[in-house]
Amino acid sequence: MLLLLLPLASARAQEASLVSVQTPRGAKQAFILIKPQKPVAAVILFAGGHGALRLTSASSMGWGAQNFVVRTRDKFARQGFMVAVADAPSDYQSARGMNAIFRMSSGHTNDIGAIVSYLKKQANVPVWLVGTSMGTFSAANGGIGLKNIDGIVLTSTITRADPNWSIRQSHPHGVASMRLSALTVPTLILSHRNDGCAITPASDTPKLTRALTKSRKVDVVLLDGGNAPKSEPCQALAQHGFYGIEDQAVARIAQFIKSN
């Protein structure tokens, strides 16, 4: 029993730090870094919503603490991953944060690339992009635009553009309307079968799989169960954010990354 507990205790002892790097376009890109001694891979986690965490330290933020990938960052670290929780860049720190247009832009691609370059200097391990909800625009963008990404994970993926969004005409199917045919890396699609958010239904998963024509491997995982929601359907403490089944969700992501 002691042998089983030692790795967990060691992982918990890993200290998080706040890192800020300059991007090619001159912005500052901050992120929380958790670095195990011998990481097996690195994951960059992209929160949903407007994504402006407004980090002031590795444990203090102005928004987003309950977001699925933010609140589970230590769980990813305990899987042996070097973890970077990405904030919005310095010029997108307002209450509006990052919209879908910016998340799909070349500027954002290069911002993500700056994080990747930093992580590669820390450890020569595969780098994966993990996005949730609006963060799936970011993960897909990085996978399409960067050549040094080893895989992506899309959780609670945006597959229907909100009627009020300016991308309604150009990207009616959200991430599924992006140039996913350019993705060649392994891709995991993770959803809650009962996600009640109108723009991320699990039933839309085929939209994504049909578009991923060149990915070396595409897996779909649909989860069930969890706790009764404490938030609106599109918020973090509901099925949309895998509330109550966080361990299971992270474990399935980790399994896919480690097997690819």
Side-chain angles (χ1 to χ4, degrees):
M1 189 66 176
L2 180 61
L3 292 176
L4 292 175
L5 291 176
L6 281 175
L8 290 177
S10 176
R12 288 193 192 100
Q14 296 298 326
E15 291 187 5
S17 59
L18 179 61
V19 177
S20 180
V21 296
Q22 186 163 344
T23 74
R25 61 190 185 85
K28 293 291 186 180
Q29 176 64 65
F31 55 93
I32 299 170
L33 177 69
I34 307 174
K35 184 184 175 184
Q37 290 185 351
K38 295 181 179 180
V40 297
V43 292
I44 303 177
L45 308 180
F46 298 97
H50 54 64
L53 303 179
R54 296 191 286 276
L55 296 171
T56 56
S57 73
S59 59
S60 300
M61 61 193 72
W63 178 89
Q66 294 301 319
N67 184 268
F68 167 59
V69 296
V70 179
R71 72 177 189 268
T72 58
R73 59 190 183 275
D74 289 331
K75 297 182 186 296
F76 280 96
R78 287 197 288 270
Q79 290 286 346
F81 299 139
M82 179 164 53
V83 177
V85 184
D87 199 350
S90 56
D91 52 346
Y92 282 83
Q93 282 292 309
S94 70
R96 297 178 63 183
M98 300 182 290
N99 60 15
I101 293 174
F102 176 74
R103 286 184 184 270
M104 293 189 286
S105 70
S106 60
H108 190 42
T109 308
N110 292 329
D111 291 350
I112 297 169
I115 302 176
V116 175
S117 295
Y118 180 92
L119 297 180
K120 287 287 189 181
K121 292 177 182 177
Q122 302 303 303
N124 185 24
V125 295
V127 176
W128 284 64
L129 307 181
V130 183
T132 195
S133 195
M134 286 291 289
T136 55
F137 282 112
S138 297
N141 179 10
I144 292 168
L146 298 172
K147 298 185 181 300
N148 53 354
I149 297 301
D150 295 276
I152 69 169
V153 179
L154 305 174
T155 76
S156 302
T157 310
I158 303 287
T159 51
R160 301 183 185 187
D162 186 281
N164 297 316
W165 290 354
S166 59
I167 65 164
R168 177 70 175 175
Q169 297 300 318
S170 62
H171 292 76
H173 303 295
V175 173
S177 293
M178 294 177 68
R179 197 164 52 92
L180 297 186
S181 60
L183 277 169
T184 60
V185 296
T187 303
L188 173 65
I189 302 166
L190 179 75
S191 296
H192 194 294
R193 202 181 301 273
N194 296 315
D195 185 349
C197 184
I199 58 176
T200 63
S203 59
D204 277 357
T205 296
K207 290 183 182 181
L208 297 165
T209 56
R210 285 194 297 266
L212 290 163
T213 56
K214 295 181 182 177
S215 293
R216 290 198 297 274
K217 185 175 183 180
V218 178
D219 271 7
V220 174
V221 174
L222 300 180
L223 299 180
D224 294 286
N227 295 340
K230 287 187 177 180
S231 69
E232 296 298 317
C234 291
Q235 300 302 315
L237 301 183
Q239 288 88 348
H240 181 72
F242 306 98
Y243 182 51
I245 54 170
E246 293 88 350
D247 287 339
Q248 184 182 354
V250 172
R252 296 300 293 269
I253 294 171
Q255 180 183 25
F256 185 79
I257 292 174
K258 292 174 182 178
S259 65
N260 288 279

